[in-house]
Amino acid sequence: MKKRTLGNTQIELPVIGLGCMGLSEFYGPPTEKAEAVKLLHKAIELGVVHLDTAEMYGFQSANESLLGEAFVDRRDRVFIATKWGPTRDWETGDRLGIDGSSDNCRRAVEGSLQRLKTDVIDLYYLHRVDPATPIEESVAAMAELVAEGKVRAIGLSEAAGDTIRRAAKVHPISAVQSEYSIFARDIEADIIPACLEVGASLTAYSPLGRGMLSGRFKTESLDAGDWRATNPRFQGEAYAANVALVDEIETIATSKSCTSAQVALAWVIGRGEHVLTIPGTTKLENLKSNLGAYEVNLSTEELASLDALADRVKGERYDEMGMSIING
Ligand code: ATR
């Protein structure tokens, strides 16, 4: 798979990585541990290098522990990105808020290193910007970890353009992680220009619209405990309208003998050299197919028709609480 340079570092990464969140939480029940480890091992055999996790994924940070277990004997083959900031009650898993203070950064990194069974985190993101802590403090705390050799590169997730610019004055920002897909292009106005300005890569998460762009929700419904059931794009009339929009992606996929998910990923990686993406999956079959998206080329006409879809999507990316903590 073709590689791209991570921001202003010397690190080269295959353009498609793997978002690991869904293995532990949010998209239905967690995958059984042995199965998940098997999938992660298979992923690196298939050429995946960039694995994305976070302190807040899974009960008691189960997702980081899973990656630690899977990669302890093959650490040199993977690039591990994790994130800090949102806090949870350790015993109940309840979300407590966002703490971007240097004290919380120090607490979080020690836990992440331990669970990931590693001496160094390849890319450490502030997961959400804490409105009560100046971004300069959060970034300075991460910069100290770089100086100490505990972190290789720094990133921000769901940060606004001005925040990215302020952060980059404290320490180089190698990546900004935001939702980006055919259905979610709001970052093009403010956030992508800031990334280009400071030389950060854009790590596109939810490139498949949390699975919606694959077309599977035409026939499949969400489990009761699936977090997506609370997402405005997956509710009521918006859900039906959005699922119907996927027909236009499917038509292009059929004409190219590929899948809708591959078209969605080809669209994201075709946006430019600054983009890396981390589609999530718990299934080997989908993982293999997603990696094949790199071979899919979209014509000018196909791109134009896909480009027109975002404005027709119904519902916000998150519920009210979720929307209040993005673009921070
Ligand atoms: P996120 O970044 O939030 O994980 P995403 O990458 O846009 O979101 O989409 C992830 C969802 O797409 C998962 O529910 C995943 O389901 P599986 O675990 O069952 O694969 C689904 N998904 C990923 N690749 C897919 C594919 N090729 N076809 C259908 N669904 C897919």
Side-chain angles (χ1 to χ4, degrees):
M1 207 192 319
K2 188 177 168 281
K3 292 186 172 180
R4 287 180 176 170
T5 308
L6 175 73
N8 35 27
T9 71
Q10 308 281 313
I11 302 165
E12 300 272 311
L13 291 173
V15 62
I16 301 176
L18 179 62
C20 299
M21 179 188 83
L23 289 166
S24 301
E25 203 181 10
F26 298 113
Y27 296 169
T31 301
E32 196 267 316
K33 202 203 273 174
E35 274 305 301
V37 168
K38 212 154 85 181
L39 181 89
L40 292 168
H41 287 172
K42 201 72 197 162
I44 57 176
E45 279 166 35
L46 291 167
V48 171
V49 176
H50 180 183
L51 285 306
D52 185 86
T53 180
E55 182 187 28
M56 80 153 282
Y57 295 163
F59 181 61
Q60 299 186 335
S61 304
N63 201 239
E64 287 188 332
S65 300
L66 171 68
L67 267 63
E69 186 165 331
F71 300 127
V72 64
D73 62 346
R74 55 203 88 188
R75 178 68 183 88
D76 54 336
R77 294 176 63 187
V78 290
F79 177 96
I80 298 179
T82 191
K83 320 182 194 76
W84 68 283
T87 53
R88 297 177 76 162
D89 183 293
W90 189 253
E91 296 306 326
T92 63
D94 290 348
R95 295 199 202 187
L96 300 177
I98 302 168
D99 183 351
S101 67
S102 55
D103 284 351
N104 189 42
C105 181
R106 184 61 63 178
R107 176 206 59 78
V109 77
E110 296 305 336
S112 292
L113 287 167
Q114 205 172 37
R115 286 183 293 272
L116 290 165
K117 300 189 196 296
T118 188
D119 297 332
V120 61
I121 290 164
D122 295 303
L123 174 57
Y124 202 36
Y125 293 97
L126 177 64
H127 203 159
R128 290 289 187 274
V129 176
D130 172 7
T133 306
I135 191 66
E136 288 80 3
E137 175 180 333
S138 305
V139 175
M142 291 192 283
E144 268 182 34
L145 302 178
V146 175
E148 292 168 20
K150 292 181 173 177
V151 164
R152 290 173 77 198
I154 288 177
L156 305 176
S157 181
E158 292 285 7
D162 279 345
T163 307
I164 296 166
R165 290 184 188 93
R166 278 169 59 196
K169 289 191 180 133
V170 179
H171 188 276
I173 300 300
S174 301
V176 172
Q177 185 170 142
S178 288
E179 181 175 354
Y180 194 38
S181 72
I182 293 171
F183 275 14
R185 295 179 57 194
D186 42 311
I187 63 167
E188 288 176 359
D190 176 42
I191 291 159
I192 291 186
C195 289
L196 293 171
E197 214 176 294
V198 306
S201 290
L202 186 275
T203 309
Y205 80 80
S206 296
L208 300 170
R210 306 189 165 82
M212 185 174 274
L213 299 179
S214 71
R216 65 192 281 173
F217 295 114
K218 282 169 115 173
T219 52
E220 208 177 297
S221 49
L222 292 167
D223 285 348
D226 193 308
W227 169 83
R228 288 171 291 197
T230 70
N231 181 289
R233 293 190 170 180
F234 285 82
Q235 287 175 341
E237 282 174 22
Y239 188 22
N242 295 335
V243 168
L245 268 190
V246 179
D247 282 347
E248 304 202 21
I249 302 175
E250 208 159 72
T251 304
I252 292 174
T254 305
S255 73
K256 304 178 87 67
S257 305
C258 70
T259 66
S260 298
Q262 287 175 326
V263 169
L265 293 174
W267 182 91
V268 169
I269 62 186
R271 305 303 289 180
E273 286 297 307
H274 55 288
V275 177
L276 298 167
T277 191
I278 45 167
T281 183
T282 57
K283 300 192 180 74
L284 181 59
E285 188 191 334
N286 289 345
L287 174 66
K288 283 184 183 160
S289 162
N290 293 347
L291 295 174
Y294 181 65
E295 312 292 334
V296 175
N297 291 306
L298 299 167
S299 70
T300 311
E301 294 73 30
E302 288 163 346
L303 284 171
S305 99
L306 296 170
D307 284 351
L309 296 180
D311 286 342
R312 294 162 59 196
V313 174
K314 302 270 183 273
E316 301 270 28
R317 295 203 273 125
Y318 286 99
D319 65 9
E320 208 175 320
M321 195 287 289
M323 290 302 288
S324 73
I325 55 172
I326 62 167
N327 300 323

